[in-house]
Amino acid sequence: MRVLLVGAGGVGTAVTRIAARRDFLTHMVVADYDLARAEAAVAALEPHAGAREGRRGGAQDGPQEGRQGGADDRTQDGPQYSPRDPRFSACRLDASDEAAVRRVLVEQRCDVLLNATDPRFVMPLFQAALAAGTQYVDMAMSLSVPHATAPYEQCGVKLGDEQFALAGAWEDAGRLALVGMGVEPGLSDVFARYAADELFDEIDELGVRDGANLSVEGHDFAPSFSIWTTIEECLNPPVVYEKERGWFTTAPFSEPEVFDFPEGIGPVECVNVEHEEVLLMPRWLDARRVTFKYGLGDDFVARLKTLHQLGLDSTDKVTVPGADGPVRVSPRDVVAACLPDPATLGDRMTGKTCAGTWVKGTKDGAPREVYLYHVVDNEWSMREYGSQAVVWQTAVNPVIALELLAAGTWKGSGVLGPEALPPRPFLDLLTAYGSPWGLREER
């Protein structure tokens, strides 16, 4: 399988480290707007016994990740290949430049585009893959827009609506766009499908619950994941699904509850947050209610509220003085630039992160309640891969999906979520990758 990976940040770099240990990969072009970052991800890879000698491909363009820009997306000398694992090369690419992305996909003869950028770049990458005739995998879906007059009651444009609007075109092309294939969404959706197939006859609620006991030495405020994405999902109106009512919204941080997470993490207060699972699961699974709640903590919530009150969560550009005259910048981008890069925090981070799906329903006429979960210890992920726990846990899932697609175990056409595909092969591979999942009976 030949893969164009767009985005060499924390998650993208973790993808390369995980994929380098697997044999299904023929070649991966690692693309980022910052060429040095893509080159660093490739140069750090250890040689793998399954790697073939020599160069792959022949494209003269290079990919890169996604920051808005207008710079020339061509490198001077074409792809820069890893001296240690020749299955990987690094290139520069502006993820917002749909034509450039399509050109790289075609010239590099890629089978699939793996999107590891933030959600702003979903649609140009999604459309470029469709135009190039390749498959597509992402970990976050196209952005939502709150309802104009009733944002905390009704949905406006929902997460993924722009992608699902093109489902017919993907079906007609006979190509698969696998959307929301990270950990949440992603593994949480696989858990939901597994529960529906094997553990329950009827499901009352699919409740995704995410919590951690991670801390970062030397930082009072250091998000373990992209602050740009965190602001987007935490400050937008959360979406809830009920079978009789459909999708509707509530106020941010609504319906707090304390959930007891496994493997020593313990009780964490969780609140409603906008997330893709709520928009994906009801399309393929029969449940009376679907929710997503995130363990943020009072301090984190207070900081997000302050950013919102100051207008620093906005993506609308404002004019500020610069050395060469006025410049236009996005307040949210400034916040992101002022905080430490989550990918660099691993050596100062301790604790565990847990992602999972809490399922309530009936089996053989009796009530049943289980929590299907996946825990990653930061000490383990840093020791084994050099990636902090949150980004590693996100990255492992699309790599498993790529392996299943390469083997033909997962296949289809159109725009599909993970819950549309058989769960057991995925869960078996997750264990084979050295990171087993768990199941806890709640009653």
Side-chain angles (χ1 to χ4, degrees):
M1 172 179 275
R2 298 180 64 84
V3 179
L4 170 60
L5 168 65
V6 186
V11 173
T13 297
V15 163
T16 66
R17 295 171 181 175
I18 298 165
R21 301 189 185 187
R22 307 299 296 184
D23 291 328
F24 75 91
L25 188 69
T26 302
H27 187 71
M28 178 176 282
V29 182
V30 182
D32 198 278
Y33 191 76
D34 180 352
L35 178 58
R37 189 160 67 168
E39 290 175 334
V42 168
L45 297 173
E46 295 292 339
H48 176 65
R52 301 179 182 179
E53 297 298 328
R55 294 192 170 193
R56 299 289 187 274
Q60 297 303 307
D61 285 9
Q64 217 210 212
E65 178 198 338
R67 300 279 176 225
Q68 296 276 359
D72 181 8
D73 64 290
R74 292 178 178 267
T75 66
Q76 294 297 314
D77 300 309
Q80 305 300 306
Y81 289 82
S82 169
R84 308 181 73 181
D85 189 336
R87 295 179 303 160
F88 291 82
S89 62
C91 291
R92 183 183 187 283
L93 186 66
D94 181 348
S96 68
D97 189 339
E98 184 180 329
V101 175
R102 178 182 179 277
R103 184 168 62 247
V104 172
L105 286 166
V106 171
E107 292 180 354
Q108 289 283 356
R109 297 178 288 109
C110 294
D111 302 298
V112 59
L113 186 159
L114 174 55
N115 177 3
T117 67
D118 72 52
R120 287 175 290 180
F121 304 102
V122 163
M123 289 312 295
L125 295 174
F126 181 78
Q127 292 172 149
L130 177 60
T134 68
Q135 299 190 94
Y136 170 89
V137 178
D138 66 26
M139 291 165 267
M141 296 171 65
S142 59
L143 292 170
S144 64
V145 179
H147 191 278
T149 58
Y152 303 139
E153 299 173 9
Q154 301 178 41
C155 295
V157 176
K158 301 187 298 299
L159 292 169
D161 275 358
E162 288 186 89
Q163 290 173 284
F164 281 111
L166 294 175
W170 282 89
E171 290 175 7
D172 292 343
R175 294 289 184 269
L176 171 63
L178 177 57
V179 297
M181 192 60 254
V183 59
E184 291 173 338
L187 179 57
S188 52
D189 304 72
V190 173
F191 283 149
R193 175 62 185 268
Y194 175 73
D197 285 357
E198 301 194 26
L199 304 180
F200 289 83
D201 296 323
E202 293 185 342
I203 293 176
D204 293 322
E205 180 170 351
L206 295 167
V208 181
R209 298 294 184 269
D210 180 302
N213 61 358
L214 296 168
S215 62
V216 181
E217 182 183 357
H219 289 281
D220 293 330
F221 185 62
S224 58
F225 202 71
S226 163
I227 188 62
W228 200 101
T229 303
T230 301
I231 289 172
E232 182 72 19
E233 62 190 24
C234 290
L235 292 179
N236 274 350
V239 180
V240 175
Y241 173 84
E242 292 180 356
K243 193 171 184 179
E244 293 76 19
R245 186 175 174 182
W247 287 294
F248 61 94
T249 58
T250 69
F253 316 118
S254 59
E255 299 180 358
E257 67 181 36
V258 175
F259 188 82
D260 188 15
F261 288 91
E263 298 193 22
I265 295 174
V268 178
E269 185 177 77
C270 299
V271 294
N272 279 326
V273 167
E274 180 190 51
H275 234 250
E276 288 90 342
E277 292 96 322
V278 179
L279 287 311
L280 286 171
M281 291 177 183
R283 296 175 186 270
W284 289 280
L285 303 176
D286 186 12
R288 293 184 177 89
R289 180 175 167 88
V290 183
T291 58
F292 179 96
K293 293 189 179 183
Y294 194 10
L296 295 172
D298 291 341
D299 182 64
F300 198 95
V301 170
R303 292 175 189 267
L304 290 175
K305 287 181 176 179
T306 298
L307 290 176
H308 178 64
Q309 289 164 354
L310 296 174
L312 294 175
D313 60 324
S314 175
T315 58
D316 295 332
K317 292 185 177 182
V318 297
T319 302
V320 298
D324 299 318
V327 294
R328 300 276 292 167
V329 296
S330 158
R332 192 185 300 184
D333 286 341
V334 173
V335 172
C338 290
L339 290 172
D341 181 351
T344 67
L345 299 175
D347 58 353
R348 286 163 285 167
M349 185 183 292
T350 57
K352 299 177 182 179
T353 184
C354 179
T357 305
W358 183 15
V359 189
K360 307 172 192 177
T362 58
K363 178 68 174 178
D364 298 326
R368 190 179 192 188
E369 189 175 323
V370 305
Y371 183 57
L372 298 141
Y373 65 90
H374 183 246
V375 171
V376 177
D377 187 325
N378 188 73
E379 181 182 357
W380 175 86
S381 65
M382 286 297 296
R383 182 180 67 247
E384 294 295 321
Y385 287 89
S387 295
Q388 55 104 320
V390 176
V391 299
W392 189 91
Q393 187 183 47
T394 303
V396 68
N397 296 286
V399 178
I400 293 172
L402 291 176
E403 185 162 344
L404 293 173
L405 292 172
T409 307
W410 272 11
K411 53 189 174 182
S413 62
V415 179
L416 302 181
E419 53 278 279
L421 299 164
R424 175 56 75 174
F426 188 99
L427 295 175
D428 289 345
L429 257 187
L430 180 61
T431 300
Y433 273 51
S435 189
W437 54 284
L439 185 156
R440 184 179 71 186
E441 293 281 353
E442 299 296 293
R443 66 180 182 184

